[in-house]
Amino acid sequence: MSSLQGYVDRRVFLVLQDGRSIVGTLAGYDQKSNVVLSNSTERVYSSDEGVEEIPLGLYLVKGDMICLIGEVDEEADQALDLTTIRAEPLPPIRY
Amino acid sequence: MLIFSVFKTLTDQTVTVELKNDLCITGVLKSVDQFLNIRLDNIKVSDEGRHPHMMAVKNCFIRGSVVRYVQLPADHVDTQLLEDATRREAQNQIKQR
Amino acid sequence: MASLSIQEPFDLIRLSLSERVFVKLRGDRQLSGILHAYDGHMNLILSDVEETIMLVDGMDDAEPGQQVVNIAKRKMDMLFVRGDGVILVSPPSRA
């Protein structure tokens, strides 16, 4: 099983089916890859202003909703200036 | 099962995964499971200008169900072996009926 | 011999192994490539693939004739195609 074990207690980046991006610390997960994040924020991207960060706190994401989970390089992430990043939000999944 | 085995033989090779949200991620295939969930290391998103979302992400877990394509390294795929294995699997399905 | 005749849909695909096939996919995409493997989900492995994506520009309310269809083409050496996107697989024409 390509499990999420290595990601526990790490900062992770989630891409959801509807296109949302969420960053948080992976507090736990289960068989169905339902995921609990602590200290999480949604990063809202837009093409005409910087990235808006919306605090979500402790957050549970259903496994079905998840496209991708990535491990964040915290140093690289802190070096990013989110206010200068302009990008279209990721499109939702379309079959 | 057959396709799962193919992916297992490709671990530690570089592949490009294209998702159903048009993201294209190149990385080293670290592992795969029976759902064809994929773990990639050392990832790089194609067209980072348009998709800067994952600039600080080094490795990731991709849900099999959101994959559209995976571009494979052709020199590590034995097509003759694949065709034989596919025929064998199809044959087994017939016997089971 | 059961294995040599076409009795069910998958037989048609089996007989197309190592031949060039045409694949129609969701999202206005189509592929042409040499078929090397498939399974019961219609997951496919193709080589020497050309993908064609049809993008329809213009308003939804435009006359059918007014819409512009843009075609993007792309080539790939060896490709795994996830079965859930497959609409049809057509064997090579035996003209």
Side-chain angles (χ1 to χ4, degrees):
Chain A
M1 177 75 186
S2 293
S3 94
L4 297 172
Q5 188 54 51
Y7 292 156
V8 174
D9 290 335
R10 303 281 176 83
R11 286 300 271 179
V12 291
F13 176 87
L14 261 63
V15 177
L16 306 189
Q17 304 253 10
D18 58 6
R20 282 190 290 165
S21 305
I22 296 175
V23 176
T25 305
L26 185 65
Y29 68 94
D30 67 11
Q31 287 263 333
K32 293 168 128 179
S33 59
N34 298 317
V35 152
V36 177
L37 299 176
S38 58
N39 294 315
S40 60
T41 49
E42 177 177 351
R43 290 187 180 171
V44 183
Y45 290 80
S46 81
S47 44
D48 39 38
E49 50 189 300
V51 179
E52 186 189 353
E53 288 197 278
I54 300 173
L56 301 172
L58 191 64
Y59 212 57
L60 185 147
V61 185
K62 259 196 98 175
D64 305 343
M65 282 296 294
I66 298 170
C67 281
L68 176 153
I69 302 180
E71 184 186 349
V72 173
D73 180 337
E74 292 196 58
E75 243 173 68
D77 194 54
Q78 265 145 32
L80 291 179
D81 184 1
L82 292 176
T83 60
T84 62
I85 295 177
R86 303 277 187 281
E88 288 285 322
L90 289 171
I93 291 287
R94 285 193 48 231
Y95 284 90
Chain B
M1 228 47 209
L2 171 89
I3 305 272
F4 172 44
S5 311
V6 174
F7 276 107
K8 276 198 291 189
T9 66
L10 292 171
T11 46
D12 293 322
Q13 300 298 328
T14 299
V15 298
T16 300
V17 181
E18 182 172 327
L19 308 187
K20 289 179 183 130
N21 59 10
D22 295 337
L23 262 186
C24 250
I25 305 170
T26 304
V28 178
L29 182 65
K30 280 328 262 185
S31 67
V32 63
D33 64 21
Q34 76 266 33
F35 304 113
L36 305 184
N37 296 324
I38 288 174
R39 263 202 69 163
L40 292 183
D41 254 12
N42 233 322
I43 62 162
K44 183 96 190 141
V45 174
S46 320
D47 197 358
E48 238 177 23
R50 198 156 69 95
H51 301 301
H53 313 68
M54 311 227 325
M55 277 196 293
V57 179
K58 9 176 217 190
N59 60 63
C60 69
F61 167 95
I62 300 169
R63 234 165 167 266
S65 61
V66 303
V67 171
R68 179 185 292 135
Y69 302 136
V70 183
Q71 294 180 47
L72 310 172
D75 44 348
H76 286 88
V77 178
D78 183 336
T79 54
Q80 191 57 54
L81 202 76
L82 269 186
E83 290 165 21
D84 294 346
T86 303
R87 286 197 188 91
R88 219 174 305 125
E89 197 168 85
Q91 203 53 245
N92 288 338
Q93 310 257 299
I94 290 171
K95 279 191 205 133
Q96 277 163 25
R97 264 183 264 117
Chain C
M1 260 294 272
S3 64
L4 291 175
S5 61
I6 296 180
Q7 298 189 328
E8 57 157 306
F10 272 109
D11 291 344
L12 195 65
I13 302 181
R14 193 184 72 239
L15 294 172
S16 307
L17 278 169
S18 79
E19 307 242 28
R20 184 164 287 276
V21 293
F22 167 84
V23 182
K24 188 171 157 64
L25 297 170
R26 290 186 186 231
D28 300 315
R29 289 163 195 265
Q30 53 194 52
L31 304 172
S32 155
I34 297 166
L35 180 68
H36 299 295
Y38 68 86
D39 66 12
H41 303 289
M42 279 217 206
N43 291 320
L44 310 171
I45 294 177
L46 306 169
S47 72
D48 193 15
V49 183
E50 184 177 68
E51 182 195 35
T52 310
I53 311 172
M54 252 98 58
L55 305 150
V56 181
D57 284 352
M59 315 306 162
D60 290 337
D61 55 354
E63 301 277 314
Q66 308 254 296
Q67 292 175 331
V68 184
V69 182
N70 277 314
I71 290 178
K73 282 190 192 269
R74 190 160 62 132
K75 285 188 196 284
M76 289 160 286
D77 274 351
M78 187 66 69
L79 190 69
F80 160 77
V81 181
R82 193 166 163 98
D84 58 3
V86 176
I87 294 172
L88 71 85
V89 179
S90 156
S93 59
R94 303 198 189 274

Short mmCIF file of all heavy atoms in Angstrom, two decimals, chain B residues 2-3 6-7 18 20 22 35-36 64-65 67-72 79 82-83 86-87 90-91 94 97, chain C residues 3 8 11 14 17-18 25 29 31 35-39 43 45 51 74 76-82 84:
data_model
loop_
_atom_site.label_atom_id
_atom_site.label_comp_id
_atom_site.label_asym_id
_atom_site.label_seq_id
_atom_site.Cartn_x
_atom_site.Cartn_y
_atom_site.Cartn_z
N LEU B 2 -2.65 -7.00 -13.57
CA LEU B 2 -1.59 -6.93 -14.58
C LEU B 2 -0.95 -5.54 -14.60
O LEU B 2 0.27 -5.40 -14.56
CB LEU B 2 -2.20 -7.26 -15.95
CG LEU B 2 -1.28 -7.03 -17.13
CD1 LEU B 2 -0.46 -8.27 -17.41
CD2 LEU B 2 -2.05 -6.61 -18.35
N ILE B 3 -1.81 -4.53 -14.63
CA ILE B 3 -1.30 -3.16 -14.73
C ILE B 3 -0.55 -2.77 -13.46
O ILE B 3 0.49 -2.12 -13.52
CB ILE B 3 -2.48 -2.18 -15.01
CG1 ILE B 3 -3.26 -2.61 -16.25
CG2 ILE B 3 -2.01 -0.74 -15.07
CD1 ILE B 3 -2.76 -2.08 -17.56
N VAL B 6 2.82 -4.08 -13.75
CA VAL B 6 3.64 -3.27 -14.67
C VAL B 6 4.20 -2.07 -13.91
O VAL B 6 5.40 -1.78 -13.99
CB VAL B 6 2.80 -2.77 -15.87
CG1 VAL B 6 3.61 -1.82 -16.73
CG2 VAL B 6 2.30 -3.94 -16.69
N PHE B 7 3.33 -1.40 -13.15
CA PHE B 7 3.80 -0.23 -12.40
C PHE B 7 4.87 -0.62 -11.39
O PHE B 7 5.82 0.12 -11.16
CB PHE B 7 2.64 0.50 -11.73
CG PHE B 7 1.94 1.46 -12.66
CD1 PHE B 7 0.68 1.19 -13.16
CD2 PHE B 7 2.57 2.65 -13.02
CE1 PHE B 7 0.06 2.08 -14.03
CE2 PHE B 7 1.95 3.54 -13.89
CZ PHE B 7 0.69 3.25 -14.39
N GLU B 18 -0.41 12.59 -15.54
CA GLU B 18 -1.32 13.68 -15.89
C GLU B 18 -2.63 13.44 -15.18
O GLU B 18 -3.23 12.36 -15.29
CB GLU B 18 -1.52 13.73 -17.42
CG GLU B 18 -2.42 14.87 -17.82
CD GLU B 18 -2.51 15.08 -19.33
OE1 GLU B 18 -1.51 14.84 -20.03
OE2 GLU B 18 -3.60 15.49 -19.77
N LYS B 20 -6.69 14.46 -13.89
CA LYS B 20 -7.93 14.90 -14.54
C LYS B 20 -8.20 16.38 -14.31
O LYS B 20 -9.19 16.90 -14.82
CB LYS B 20 -9.09 14.05 -14.05
CG LYS B 20 -9.03 12.63 -14.58
CD LYS B 20 -10.17 11.79 -14.08
CE LYS B 20 -10.04 10.37 -14.57
NZ LYS B 20 -10.19 9.42 -13.48
N ASP B 22 -5.83 18.44 -15.22
CA ASP B 22 -4.84 18.92 -16.19
C ASP B 22 -3.46 19.17 -15.61
O ASP B 22 -2.56 19.58 -16.34
CB ASP B 22 -5.31 20.17 -16.94
CG ASP B 22 -6.54 19.89 -17.80
OD1 ASP B 22 -6.74 18.71 -18.16
OD2 ASP B 22 -7.30 20.82 -18.09
N PHE B 35 -4.95 0.08 -5.99
CA PHE B 35 -5.88 1.07 -6.55
C PHE B 35 -5.17 1.94 -7.58
O PHE B 35 -5.76 2.89 -8.11
CB PHE B 35 -6.44 1.97 -5.44
CG PHE B 35 -7.11 1.22 -4.33
CD1 PHE B 35 -6.57 1.20 -3.06
CD2 PHE B 35 -8.28 0.53 -4.56
CE1 PHE B 35 -7.19 0.50 -2.03
CE2 PHE B 35 -8.91 -0.18 -3.55
CZ PHE B 35 -8.36 -0.20 -2.28
N LEU B 36 -3.89 1.65 -7.79
CA LEU B 36 -3.03 2.47 -8.66
C LEU B 36 -2.84 3.88 -8.10
O LEU B 36 -2.61 4.82 -8.85
CB LEU B 36 -3.54 2.50 -10.12
CG LEU B 36 -3.74 1.13 -10.77
CD1 LEU B 36 -4.14 1.30 -12.23
CD2 LEU B 36 -2.48 0.27 -10.68
N GLY B 64 -5.31 7.21 -7.25
CA GLY B 64 -5.42 6.55 -8.55
C GLY B 64 -6.58 7.06 -9.36
O GLY B 64 -6.48 7.23 -10.58
N SER B 65 -7.70 7.35 -8.69
CA SER B 65 -8.92 7.70 -9.41
C SER B 65 -8.84 9.05 -10.13
O SER B 65 -9.68 9.34 -10.98
CB SER B 65 -10.10 7.72 -8.45
OG SER B 65 -9.88 8.68 -7.45
N VAL B 67 -6.14 10.04 -11.85
CA VAL B 67 -5.13 9.96 -12.90
C VAL B 67 -5.82 9.84 -14.26
O VAL B 67 -6.77 9.08 -14.42
CB VAL B 67 -4.21 8.74 -12.67
CG1 VAL B 67 -3.29 8.50 -13.86
CG2 VAL B 67 -3.40 8.92 -11.40
N ARG B 68 -5.36 10.60 -15.23
CA ARG B 68 -5.85 10.42 -16.60
C ARG B 68 -4.86 9.55 -17.38
O ARG B 68 -5.24 8.54 -17.93
CB ARG B 68 -6.05 11.77 -17.29
CG ARG B 68 -6.52 11.63 -18.73
CD ARG B 68 -6.60 12.96 -19.46
NE ARG B 68 -7.66 13.80 -18.92
CZ ARG B 68 -7.53 15.09 -18.65
NH1 ARG B 68 -6.38 15.69 -18.86
NH2 ARG B 68 -8.53 15.79 -18.17
N TYR B 69 -3.62 9.99 -17.41
CA TYR B 69 -2.56 9.23 -18.09
C TYR B 69 -1.33 9.11 -17.19
O TYR B 69 -1.12 9.95 -16.32
CB TYR B 69 -2.04 9.99 -19.31
CG TYR B 69 -3.01 10.35 -20.38
CD1 TYR B 69 -2.98 11.64 -20.94
CD2 TYR B 69 -3.92 9.43 -20.89
CE1 TYR B 69 -3.84 12.00 -21.97
CE2 TYR B 69 -4.79 9.79 -21.91
CZ TYR B 69 -4.74 11.08 -22.44
OH TYR B 69 -5.59 11.43 -23.44
N VAL B 70 -0.50 8.12 -17.49
CA VAL B 70 0.86 8.11 -16.97
C VAL B 70 1.79 7.86 -18.16
O VAL B 70 1.65 6.85 -18.86
CB VAL B 70 1.09 7.01 -15.91
CG1 VAL B 70 2.52 7.12 -15.35
CG2 VAL B 70 0.09 7.12 -14.78
N GLN B 71 2.70 8.79 -18.39
CA GLN B 71 3.70 8.59 -19.45
C GLN B 71 4.83 7.76 -18.87
O GLN B 71 5.41 8.12 -17.85
CB GLN B 71 4.23 9.93 -19.94
CG GLN B 71 3.15 10.76 -20.65
CD GLN B 71 3.70 12.08 -21.14
OE1 GLN B 71 4.76 12.15 -21.75
NE2 GLN B 71 2.98 13.16 -20.86
N LEU B 72 5.12 6.64 -19.54
CA LEU B 72 6.09 5.67 -19.02
C LEU B 72 7.38 5.75 -19.82
O LEU B 72 7.39 6.16 -20.98
CB LEU B 72 5.50 4.26 -19.14
CG LEU B 72 4.08 4.06 -18.59
CD1 LEU B 72 3.56 2.67 -18.96
CD2 LEU B 72 4.06 4.25 -17.09
N THR B 79 7.26 -4.71 -24.40
CA THR B 79 5.91 -4.76 -24.96
C THR B 79 5.48 -6.20 -25.28
O THR B 79 4.33 -6.55 -25.12
CB THR B 79 5.82 -3.90 -26.23
OG1 THR B 79 6.85 -4.30 -27.14
CG2 THR B 79 6.00 -2.43 -25.91
N LEU B 82 4.33 -7.77 -22.15
CA LEU B 82 3.03 -7.21 -21.79
C LEU B 82 1.91 -7.88 -22.56
O LEU B 82 0.88 -8.25 -21.99
CB LEU B 82 3.00 -5.73 -22.16
CG LEU B 82 3.43 -4.72 -21.11
CD1 LEU B 82 3.19 -3.31 -21.64
CD2 LEU B 82 2.64 -4.94 -19.85
N GLU B 83 2.12 -8.05 -23.87
CA GLU B 83 1.07 -8.64 -24.70
C GLU B 83 0.81 -10.08 -24.29
O GLU B 83 -0.34 -10.51 -24.18
CB GLU B 83 1.45 -8.53 -26.18
CG GLU B 83 1.39 -7.09 -26.67
CD GLU B 83 2.09 -6.88 -28.00
OE1 GLU B 83 2.26 -7.87 -28.75
OE2 GLU B 83 2.45 -5.72 -28.30
N THR B 86 -1.04 -10.10 -21.05
CA THR B 86 -2.43 -9.67 -21.25
C THR B 86 -3.26 -10.81 -21.82
O THR B 86 -4.38 -11.07 -21.38
CB THR B 86 -2.49 -8.45 -22.18
OG1 THR B 86 -1.68 -7.42 -21.64
CG2 THR B 86 -3.90 -7.95 -22.35
N ARG B 87 -2.71 -11.53 -22.81
CA ARG B 87 -3.43 -12.68 -23.40
C ARG B 87 -3.67 -13.74 -22.34
O ARG B 87 -4.75 -14.32 -22.26
CB ARG B 87 -2.62 -13.28 -24.55
CG ARG B 87 -2.66 -12.43 -25.78
CD ARG B 87 -2.23 -13.18 -27.04
NE ARG B 87 -2.13 -12.23 -28.13
CZ ARG B 87 -1.01 -11.57 -28.46
NH1 ARG B 87 0.10 -11.79 -27.79
NH2 ARG B 87 -1.01 -10.70 -29.44
N ALA B 90 -6.43 -12.63 -20.06
CA ALA B 90 -7.73 -12.72 -20.74
C ALA B 90 -8.19 -14.18 -20.80
O ALA B 90 -9.37 -14.49 -20.62
CB ALA B 90 -7.61 -12.13 -22.14
N GLN B 91 -7.25 -15.07 -21.07
CA GLN B 91 -7.53 -16.51 -21.14
C GLN B 91 -8.05 -17.04 -19.80
O GLN B 91 -9.02 -17.78 -19.75
CB GLN B 91 -6.21 -17.23 -21.51
CG GLN B 91 -6.36 -18.57 -22.15
CD GLN B 91 -7.27 -18.54 -23.36
OE1 GLN B 91 -8.33 -19.14 -23.33
NE2 GLN B 91 -6.88 -17.84 -24.40
N ILE B 94 -11.60 -16.25 -19.19
CA ILE B 94 -12.52 -17.11 -19.94
C ILE B 94 -12.72 -18.43 -19.19
O ILE B 94 -13.84 -18.88 -19.00
CB ILE B 94 -11.99 -17.36 -21.37
CG1 ILE B 94 -12.06 -16.07 -22.19
CG2 ILE B 94 -12.77 -18.47 -22.05
CD1 ILE B 94 -11.38 -16.12 -23.54
N ARG B 97 -15.18 -18.54 -16.36
CA ARG B 97 -16.61 -18.45 -16.63
C ARG B 97 -17.24 -19.80 -16.89
O ARG B 97 -16.57 -20.78 -17.12
CB ARG B 97 -16.87 -17.49 -17.79
CG ARG B 97 -17.19 -16.14 -17.26
CD ARG B 97 -17.52 -15.17 -18.35
NE ARG B 97 -16.35 -14.38 -18.74
CZ ARG B 97 -15.81 -14.42 -19.95
NH1 ARG B 97 -16.31 -15.21 -20.89
NH2 ARG B 97 -14.78 -13.68 -20.21
N SER C 3 -11.08 -19.22 -28.04
CA SER C 3 -10.11 -18.14 -27.93
C SER C 3 -9.86 -17.45 -29.27
O SER C 3 -9.25 -16.40 -29.30
CB SER C 3 -8.80 -18.67 -27.37
OG SER C 3 -8.25 -19.59 -28.29
N GLU C 8 -17.43 -11.99 -27.23
CA GLU C 8 -17.83 -10.91 -26.33
C GLU C 8 -16.93 -9.71 -26.58
O GLU C 8 -15.87 -9.84 -27.20
CB GLU C 8 -17.76 -11.38 -24.89
CG GLU C 8 -16.38 -11.89 -24.51
CD GLU C 8 -16.19 -11.80 -23.01
OE1 GLU C 8 -16.39 -10.69 -22.49
OE2 GLU C 8 -15.83 -12.80 -22.39
N ASP C 11 -13.09 -9.67 -26.47
CA ASP C 11 -12.36 -10.45 -27.48
C ASP C 11 -11.86 -9.55 -28.60
O ASP C 11 -10.79 -9.77 -29.17
CB ASP C 11 -13.27 -11.53 -28.09
CG ASP C 11 -13.60 -12.60 -27.06
OD1 ASP C 11 -12.90 -12.67 -26.04
OD2 ASP C 11 -14.55 -13.37 -27.31
N ARG C 14 -8.84 -7.96 -27.45
CA ARG C 14 -7.71 -8.90 -27.34
C ARG C 14 -7.08 -9.12 -28.71
O ARG C 14 -5.86 -9.16 -28.84
CB ARG C 14 -8.18 -10.24 -26.76
CG ARG C 14 -7.00 -11.12 -26.35
CD ARG C 14 -7.43 -12.48 -25.85
NE ARG C 14 -7.89 -13.32 -26.94
CZ ARG C 14 -9.10 -13.85 -27.02
NH1 ARG C 14 -9.98 -13.63 -26.08
NH2 ARG C 14 -9.43 -14.60 -28.04
N LEU C 17 -4.42 -6.59 -29.86
CA LEU C 17 -3.10 -6.45 -29.21
C LEU C 17 -2.01 -6.38 -30.27
O LEU C 17 -2.05 -7.11 -31.26
CB LEU C 17 -2.83 -7.64 -28.27
CG LEU C 17 -3.44 -7.56 -26.88
CD1 LEU C 17 -3.33 -8.90 -26.17
CD2 LEU C 17 -2.79 -6.45 -26.06
N SER C 18 -1.06 -5.53 -30.03
CA SER C 18 0.07 -5.24 -30.91
C SER C 18 -0.34 -4.60 -32.24
O SER C 18 0.45 -4.51 -33.17
CB SER C 18 0.97 -6.46 -31.13
OG SER C 18 0.41 -7.32 -32.08
N LEU C 25 -11.92 9.08 -25.75
CA LEU C 25 -11.91 9.31 -24.30
C LEU C 25 -12.86 10.43 -23.92
O LEU C 25 -13.25 11.25 -24.75
CB LEU C 25 -10.50 9.74 -23.85
CG LEU C 25 -9.37 8.74 -24.04
CD1 LEU C 25 -8.04 9.42 -23.76
CD2 LEU C 25 -9.55 7.56 -23.11
N ARG C 29 -11.26 13.95 -26.07
CA ARG C 29 -9.91 13.52 -26.42
C ARG C 29 -9.98 12.23 -27.19
O ARG C 29 -10.87 11.41 -26.97
CB ARG C 29 -9.08 13.25 -25.15
CG ARG C 29 -8.72 14.49 -24.39
CD ARG C 29 -8.29 14.13 -22.99
NE ARG C 29 -8.30 15.32 -22.17
CZ ARG C 29 -7.22 16.07 -21.94
NH1 ARG C 29 -6.05 15.73 -22.40
NH2 ARG C 29 -7.31 17.17 -21.22
N LEU C 31 -7.18 9.10 -28.95
CA LEU C 31 -5.81 8.62 -29.06
C LEU C 31 -5.72 7.64 -30.22
O LEU C 31 -6.68 6.95 -30.53
CB LEU C 31 -5.39 7.86 -27.80
CG LEU C 31 -5.48 8.55 -26.44
CD1 LEU C 31 -5.20 7.55 -25.33
CD2 LEU C 31 -4.47 9.68 -26.37
N LEU C 35 -1.55 -1.01 -29.19
CA LEU C 35 -2.05 -1.57 -27.93
C LEU C 35 -1.14 -2.69 -27.44
O LEU C 35 -0.91 -3.67 -28.16
CB LEU C 35 -3.48 -2.09 -28.14
CG LEU C 35 -4.14 -2.69 -26.90
CD1 LEU C 35 -4.40 -1.62 -25.85
CD2 LEU C 35 -5.44 -3.39 -27.27
N HIS C 36 -0.64 -2.56 -26.23
CA HIS C 36 0.21 -3.61 -25.66
C HIS C 36 -0.41 -4.31 -24.47
O HIS C 36 -0.05 -5.44 -24.17
CB HIS C 36 1.57 -3.03 -25.26
CG HIS C 36 2.32 -2.46 -26.41
ND1 HIS C 36 2.78 -3.24 -27.46
CD2 HIS C 36 2.67 -1.19 -26.71
CE1 HIS C 36 3.39 -2.46 -28.34
NE2 HIS C 36 3.33 -1.21 -27.92
N ALA C 37 -1.30 -3.65 -23.76
CA ALA C 37 -1.92 -4.29 -22.60
C ALA C 37 -3.25 -3.63 -22.28
O ALA C 37 -3.45 -2.45 -22.60
CB ALA C 37 -1.00 -4.20 -21.39
N TYR C 38 -4.15 -4.42 -21.68
CA TYR C 38 -5.41 -3.87 -21.18
C TYR C 38 -5.85 -4.76 -20.03
O TYR C 38 -5.32 -5.86 -19.85
CB TYR C 38 -6.48 -3.84 -22.28
CG TYR C 38 -6.95 -5.21 -22.71
CD1 TYR C 38 -7.97 -5.86 -22.02
CD2 TYR C 38 -6.35 -5.85 -23.78
CE1 TYR C 38 -8.38 -7.14 -22.41
CE2 TYR C 38 -6.75 -7.12 -24.16
CZ TYR C 38 -7.76 -7.76 -23.47
OH TYR C 38 -8.15 -9.02 -23.84
N ASP C 39 -6.84 -4.28 -19.26
CA ASP C 39 -7.45 -5.13 -18.24
C ASP C 39 -8.95 -4.91 -18.25
O ASP C 39 -9.48 -4.19 -19.10
CB ASP C 39 -6.80 -4.90 -16.87
CG ASP C 39 -7.08 -3.51 -16.32
OD1 ASP C 39 -7.95 -2.81 -16.88
OD2 ASP C 39 -6.43 -3.14 -15.33
N ASN C 43 -8.26 -0.21 -18.50
CA ASN C 43 -6.96 0.45 -18.42
C ASN C 43 -6.17 -0.05 -19.61
O ASN C 43 -6.27 -1.22 -19.97
CB ASN C 43 -6.23 0.03 -17.13
CG ASN C 43 -6.88 0.58 -15.88
OD1 ASN C 43 -7.32 1.72 -15.86
ND2 ASN C 43 -6.93 -0.24 -14.85
N ILE C 45 -2.35 0.16 -22.02
CA ILE C 45 -0.99 0.65 -22.24
C ILE C 45 -0.75 0.69 -23.75
O ILE C 45 -0.91 -0.33 -24.44
CB ILE C 45 0.07 -0.20 -21.52
CG1 ILE C 45 -0.11 -0.07 -19.99
CG2 ILE C 45 1.48 0.25 -21.91
CD1 ILE C 45 0.82 -0.93 -19.18
N GLU C 51 -2.18 11.96 -29.36
CA GLU C 51 -3.40 12.40 -28.72
C GLU C 51 -3.95 13.60 -29.47
O GLU C 51 -3.19 14.48 -29.88
CB GLU C 51 -3.12 12.80 -27.26
CG GLU C 51 -4.38 13.23 -26.52
CD GLU C 51 -4.08 13.97 -25.22
OE1 GLU C 51 -3.09 14.72 -25.16
OE2 GLU C 51 -4.86 13.81 -24.27
N ARG C 74 -0.59 15.96 -29.73
CA ARG C 74 0.55 15.71 -28.85
C ARG C 74 0.99 14.27 -29.07
O ARG C 74 0.14 13.40 -29.29
CB ARG C 74 0.04 15.89 -27.42
CG ARG C 74 1.06 15.91 -26.36
CD ARG C 74 0.50 16.59 -25.11
NE ARG C 74 -0.64 15.87 -24.57
CZ ARG C 74 -0.76 15.56 -23.27
NH1 ARG C 74 0.18 15.87 -22.43
NH2 ARG C 74 -1.84 14.95 -22.84
N MET C 76 3.26 10.89 -27.60
CA MET C 76 3.89 10.30 -26.41
C MET C 76 4.38 8.89 -26.76
O MET C 76 3.74 8.18 -27.51
CB MET C 76 2.88 10.26 -25.27
CG MET C 76 2.57 11.64 -24.70
SD MET C 76 1.05 11.78 -23.78
CE MET C 76 -0.21 11.73 -25.04
N ASP C 77 5.54 8.52 -26.20
CA ASP C 77 6.17 7.23 -26.53
C ASP C 77 5.41 6.05 -25.97
O ASP C 77 5.07 5.11 -26.68
CB ASP C 77 7.59 7.18 -25.92
CG ASP C 77 8.61 7.81 -26.82
OD1 ASP C 77 8.24 8.13 -27.96
OD2 ASP C 77 9.75 7.99 -26.38
N MET C 78 5.18 6.08 -24.68
CA MET C 78 4.56 4.95 -23.99
C MET C 78 3.61 5.52 -22.96
O MET C 78 4.01 6.37 -22.16
CB MET C 78 5.67 4.12 -23.31
CG MET C 78 5.22 2.83 -22.70
SD MET C 78 4.63 1.58 -23.85
CE MET C 78 6.13 1.13 -24.69
N LEU C 79 2.36 5.09 -23.03
CA LEU C 79 1.34 5.74 -22.22
C LEU C 79 0.42 4.74 -21.55
O LEU C 79 -0.11 3.82 -22.18
CB LEU C 79 0.52 6.67 -23.13
CG LEU C 79 -0.45 7.62 -22.44
CD1 LEU C 79 0.32 8.69 -21.67
CD2 LEU C 79 -1.37 8.29 -23.45
N PHE C 80 0.21 4.95 -20.24
CA PHE C 80 -0.84 4.23 -19.52
C PHE C 80 -2.07 5.12 -19.53
O PHE C 80 -1.99 6.32 -19.26
CB PHE C 80 -0.40 3.96 -18.07
CG PHE C 80 -1.55 3.68 -17.14
CD1 PHE C 80 -2.17 2.44 -17.15
CD2 PHE C 80 -2.02 4.66 -16.28
CE1 PHE C 80 -3.25 2.18 -16.31
CE2 PHE C 80 -3.09 4.40 -15.44
CZ PHE C 80 -3.71 3.17 -15.45
N VAL C 81 -3.22 4.55 -19.89
CA VAL C 81 -4.48 5.30 -19.93
C VAL C 81 -5.43 4.69 -18.91
O VAL C 81 -5.70 3.48 -18.95
CB VAL C 81 -5.14 5.22 -21.33
CG1 VAL C 81 -6.43 6.03 -21.38
CG2 VAL C 81 -4.17 5.67 -22.41
N ARG C 82 -5.91 5.49 -17.98
CA ARG C 82 -6.83 4.96 -16.97
C ARG C 82 -8.19 4.65 -17.60
O ARG C 82 -8.76 5.46 -18.31
CB ARG C 82 -6.96 5.93 -15.81
CG ARG C 82 -7.64 5.27 -14.63
CD ARG C 82 -7.52 6.05 -13.37
NE ARG C 82 -8.51 5.57 -12.44
CZ ARG C 82 -8.25 4.69 -11.47
NH1 ARG C 82 -7.03 4.24 -11.28
NH2 ARG C 82 -9.21 4.28 -10.67
N ASP C 84 -11.26 4.52 -16.63
CA ASP C 84 -12.51 5.26 -16.38
C ASP C 84 -12.74 6.37 -17.39
O ASP C 84 -13.85 6.88 -17.50
CB ASP C 84 -12.61 5.75 -14.93
CG ASP C 84 -11.45 6.65 -14.52
OD1 ASP C 84 -10.60 6.95 -15.38
OD2 ASP C 84 -11.42 7.05 -13.35
#
